[in-house]
Structures are given as structure tokens and as C-alpha cells.
Amino acid sequence: MTVPPLHIIARIHSDFSGKFGIPRQSGLVESLEALVVFEEAYRNPEAVRGLEGFSHLWLIWQFSETVRETWSPTVRPPRLGGNARMGVFATRSPFRPNALGLSSVRLLGVEQTPGLGAVLRVAGADLMNGTPIFDIKPYLPYTDCHPDAVGGFAEEGGKQIRVEIKESLLALVPPEKREALRGILAQDPRPSYQKEGGRIYGLEFAGRNIRFSVQDGVLTVREITIP
């Protein structure tokens, strides 16, 4: 059977120019906002009629930075320290046969713009800037929410650490981005297999270079620069 091609209907506009620092799951940092901008062929306002009545959306997208022709039946989940292998379909690893991602985001608004048509403002997205989106579906709480669900080896999530940022450094970040930055850092962006104290890490967010270290469970921002 011939599989029809997927069409990119939109792209995310977020504050992440690279992968490092992006929350490991959607919804972990609710203050993190992004825009879903439709490709020109899909800017018909009729396509989003009624969408504003939903509080949350599903985004189906592509791990565009990890597309490859080969695949492996097992991967090393970062949650397990990169030391244990699990079946690829038991994980949310980007290294999948079709490199597809699924994210649940909160819909903050549908904004009609003169140049881009309907733009969706969303919160909690875990996508890098420019990520292609293949489909958007409304989240239906009566069927999509499962309070008694079991999370397997990923049962525990969203643990946070204390974040310390000097006010003089925080002043270099736009006021509307500061809460999101704190939320991102509180998730401890470091890889699970790199937990040595004192090491300096760096991530790019909102056009800033953020350098930090972690010692005794406290993340301290050392430097914020504007390239």
C-alpha cells in the first residue's frame, strides 16, 4: 500500500534556537509560550473555526534534527542515565522509525494577523524554533485524560531543583521571559549521565546565552550574555 506524503502545515516559533534546555516533556513549564504559524497554503481562517473553544491542543510534529534512514529497536533513555536500553516504542526518544513527536499544549489564543493569518499562541510547548508541525488536534478531556494511568519506568517526572539568579543577570532577560527561564532551569537541563558538580553548562534561550552550574542540588546562573 502506498503511504501518502505528510504535509508540513505549520511551524513553531519558540525561544529555543537549539535542543539543549528544552523541557523533556510538554507542559512541564506552563509559562513557556510559543507561536504556531501556519504555512501559506494552510492559512485559510475556516481551518481554525471553533478552535478557540478548546483549552488544550495536540501537536503532531517532526524531530527534524534527528531524521535518519536507519533505526534501532532499542534506545538509551536519559531518564535511566543512558545506561539501560529500552524498546524504542516504550520511550519518547526522538530516534524513531518516523521521527514523530506528540505534544499537549495549552491554547492561549487564536490571533488573526494581517501577514500570517491565524496564529496560535500556546503554552508549555517542548519544541525547538522552526520545528515542522504535521497536524493539530483538539485535546478532549473526557477521552484523553486518564487519571489512573501508569507511567512505567518514567513514573516520576517534573522534579525541580532550586535556581539562583542574581537580579543584575536577570535584568538582561526580557521581563515576559523571566518566569519561563526560571521554570526551564528548575527542570535541571543537564543530561542524566552528566551530573558532576561545578561543571559549567550553557543553553540558548530568548536570544540569550545562559551559563550555569549545579552544586549540591542548587542551580546557579553564572553568566547571561546577548550575542
Side-chain angles (χ1 to χ4, degrees):
M1 186 177 74
T2 302
V3 178
L6 291 174
H7 300 285
I8 298 173
I9 66 164
R11 291 183 185 272
I12 199 83
H13 289 207
S14 75
D15 287 310
F16 292 103
S17 58
K19 294 183 293 183
F20 186 72
I22 297 177
R24 294 179 176 91
Q25 301 294 338
S26 59
L28 289 178
V29 183
E30 276 290 326
S31 56
L32 188 60
E33 296 189 15
L35 300 176
V36 175
V37 178
F38 288 93
E39 297 288 277
E40 188 171 356
Y42 301 95
R43 291 178 184 170
N44 188 322
E46 293 297 298
V48 295
R49 182 195 292 184
L51 196 62
E52 68 278 359
F54 296 90
S55 65
H56 291 73
L57 307 174
W58 289 110
L59 304 181
I60 300 172
W61 48 278
Q62 182 186 55
F63 289 102
S64 51
E65 297 294 299
T66 59
V67 175
R68 55 178 65 179
E69 293 186 1
T70 60
W71 72 286
S72 171
T74 61
V75 295
R76 299 177 186 269
R79 183 180 293 274
L80 300 179
N83 298 316
R85 284 194 170 274
M86 301 296 289
V88 65
F89 301 127
T91 75
R92 295 192 174 186
S93 167
F95 303 105
R96 324 182 66 78
N98 288 307
L100 292 179
L102 178 69
S103 295
S104 174
V105 298
R106 183 159 57 95
L107 178 63
L108 301 176
V110 181
E111 302 171 354
Q112 297 292 337
T113 68
L116 300 174
V119 173
L120 311 183
R121 191 162 59 91
V122 300
D126 55 339
L127 284 73
M128 190 172 70
N129 186 54
T131 294
I133 296 173
F134 292 132
D135 203 5
I136 298 167
K137 299 180 185 293
Y139 178 98
L140 303 178
Y142 75 89
T143 184
D144 292 345
C145 180
H146 302 280
D148 57 346
V150 177
F153 68 86
E155 188 70 53
E156 290 189 22
K159 286 187 175 181
Q160 298 189 353
I161 60 174
R162 199 170 88 219
V163 175
E164 293 186 351
I165 312 177
K166 292 181 179 178
E167 289 299 323
S168 58
L169 293 178
L170 197 59
L172 299 173
V173 179
E176 69 275 12
K177 307 289 184 182
R178 293 172 188 172
E179 183 179 354
L181 175 60
R182 284 189 177 275
I184 292 162
L185 296 174
Q187 296 296 322
D188 192 354
R190 299 176 299 164
S192 298
Y193 51 85
Q194 291 182 0
K195 295 297 188 182
E196 62 267 32
R199 177 172 176 171
I200 302 296
Y201 296 85
L203 65 85
E204 295 181 9
F205 174 73
R208 272 66 175 167
N209 290 327
I210 317 293
R211 294 176 62 80
F212 66 89
S213 63
V214 180
Q215 189 74 45
D216 298 326
V218 179
L219 185 150
T220 303
V221 175
R222 302 295 180 183
E223 182 182 40
I224 297 179
T225 59
I226 305 173

